[in-house]
């Protein structure tokens, strides 16, 4: 049976690897992007086609409940019901707390955490009714241990796992699993945006002495999306090169 997977933030650094990996594993994959990224999404789709992947793209502002509802309906019309949802859309607005403005707090909570409600809420009842579903929330090592300059991001990422644990209990008896993956530092545009000195000092503190490649994160998501992970729910899977162990 071909599973239908939606990856929010699907054209981003980690999102791209998740999409191609799930496509390799036989899923029909839809990559969500922000409505303002229409040109980038068209180029992204063409690049994936050149690599041999047919991955659909869909615009949707996941920080808006109404636009998320519209997007899920459009996917249902084009492809059918979503079996696998990967909540991967996320942003950073790093600032020491004394300099952090309300807008930077709100943007990160809205895009990284409220989006998880906005999108999951649209697919949840259908998954319960059909007796199968996989929700995978992409959090961060910094939601587990906190990070200097990321009070907003760490709060949102920790909140994602609270959501995971609560929802996992509601889905457990119905074949719907909910899990978190907490990547460490991954080589993407998001980590490249950090100052070089800061980045190098972070890398020197990682026991593996390197950042992750996006494919190394996608491998964990592929497992959680698969039928083999059926007995795993409410978990928080760290993929962080040893940066945080607990
Ligand atoms: N611990 C303690 N003190 C630190 C520190 C740390 N980790 N990092 C910086 N400081 C100190 C500096 O030494 C400096 O001290 P003094 O004022 O005494 O000289 C002070 O903090 C600098 O404070 P400022 O308010 O002036 O900060 P800034 O504007 O220079 O930079 C920052 C602040 C932008 C947050 C910068 O520290 C930074 O980029 N930090 C990295 C944040 C980070 O890890 N982001 C991850 C992005 S990737 C991602 O989020 C993906 C993921 O999931 C992992």
């Amino acid at each position: 049976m071909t599973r239908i997977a939606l990856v929010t933030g699907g054209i981003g650094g980690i999102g791209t690897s998740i999409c191609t990996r799930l496509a390799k594993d036989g899923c029909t994959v839809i990559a969500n992007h922000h409505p303002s990224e229409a040109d980038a999404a068209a180029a992204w789709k063409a690049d994936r086609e050149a690599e041999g992947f047919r991955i659909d793209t869909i615009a949707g502002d996941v920080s808006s409940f109404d636009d998320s509802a519209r997007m899920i309906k459009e996917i249902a019309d084009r492809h059918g019901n979503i079996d696998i949802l990967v909540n991967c859309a996320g942003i950073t607005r790093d600032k020491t707390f004394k300099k952090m403005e309300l807008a930077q707090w709100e943007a990160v909570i809205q895009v990284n955490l409220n989006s998880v409600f906005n999108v999951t809420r649209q697919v949840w009842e259908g998954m319960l009714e059909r007796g199968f579903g996989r929700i995978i929330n992409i959090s961060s090592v910094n939601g587990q241990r906190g990070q200097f300059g990321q009070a907003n991001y760490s709060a949102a990422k920790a909140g994602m796992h609270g959501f995971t644990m609560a929802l996992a209990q509601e889905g457990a008896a119905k074949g719907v699993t909910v899990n978190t993956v907490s990547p460490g530092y991954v080589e993407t545009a998001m980590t490249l945006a950090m100052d070089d000195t800061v980045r190098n000092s972070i890398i020197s503190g990682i026991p593996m002495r390197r950042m992750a490649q996006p494919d190394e994160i996608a491998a964990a998501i592929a497992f959680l999306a698969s039928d083999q992970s059926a007995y795993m729910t409410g978990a928080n899977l760290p993929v962080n090169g040893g940066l945080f162990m607990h």
Side-chain angles (χ1 to χ4, degrees):
M1 166 198 273
T2 305
R3 303 272 192 214
I4 299 180
L6 169 65
V7 181
T8 73
I11 71 168
I14 298 179
T16 299
S17 283
I18 298 172
C19 287
T20 53
R21 175 59 198 262
L22 292 180
K24 262 186 211 159
D25 290 354
C27 297
T28 295
V29 181
I30 302 111
N32 151 263
H33 63 87
H34 191 269
S36 66
E37 299 173 319
D39 292 345
W44 182 92
K45 194 174 178 181
D47 287 347
R48 300 293 82 73
E49 264 164 27
E51 292 169 3
F53 297 106
R54 284 190 56 215
I55 299 175
D56 198 6
T57 54
I58 188 148
D61 178 358
V62 294
S63 72
S64 151
F65 185 79
D66 290 347
D67 205 41
S68 299
R70 191 243 350 120
M71 172 179 77
I72 299 298
K73 194 173 172 312
E74 207 174 312
I75 295 171
D77 292 344
R78 279 196 222 167
H79 299 282
N81 298 313
I82 292 164
D83 303 300
I84 300 162
L85 168 63
V86 185
N87 286 308
C88 184
I91 59 169
T92 53
R93 294 287 182 272
D94 295 355
K95 278 280 170 202
T96 48
F97 193 61
K98 65 184 177 192
K99 293 182 187 166
M100 191 176 287
E101 290 171 8
L102 179 62
Q104 291 159 338
W105 171 265
E106 286 183 341
V108 169
I109 299 295
Q110 195 64 31
V111 175
N112 296 15
L113 182 59
N114 291 350
S115 64
V116 173
F117 172 82
N118 294 338
V119 183
T120 309
R121 187 67 186 82
Q122 319 296 336
V123 301
W124 184 248
E125 281 160 79
M127 287 180 175
L128 295 180
E129 277 159 22
R130 293 189 300 279
F132 180 88
R134 296 279 185 270
I135 309 283
I136 303 160
N137 296 319
I138 310 305
S139 179
S140 165
V141 64
N142 293 343
Q144 299 180 286
R145 57 158 206 172
Q147 169 62 37
F148 186 100
Q150 287 198 309
N152 48 4
Y153 187 87
S154 298
K157 292 299 189 181
M160 285 175 95
H161 188 56
F163 175 84
T164 289
M165 293 188 290
L167 210 57
Q169 299 191 28
E170 295 190 26
K174 314 269 180 176
V176 184
T177 67
V178 189
N179 291 287
T180 299
V181 172
S182 286
Y185 284 78
V186 186
E187 260 183 41
T188 64
M190 187 181 270
T191 53
L192 261 179
M194 284 188 294
D195 176 87
D196 280 352
T197 321
V198 173
R199 195 174 52 252
N200 290 335
S201 116
I202 286 170
I203 292 173
S204 68
I206 300 171
M208 288 193 189
R209 299 282 187 267
R210 66 173 180 88
M211 289 204 191
Q213 291 303 314
D215 286 357
E216 295 175 302
I217 310 303
I221 288 125
F223 169 68
L224 290 173
S226 74
D227 289 3
Q228 280 111 68
S229 70
Y231 200 62
M232 195 163 166
T233 198
N236 189 353
L237 199 58
V239 190
N240 63 28
L243 181 55
F244 179 72
M245 305 176 187
H246 74 129

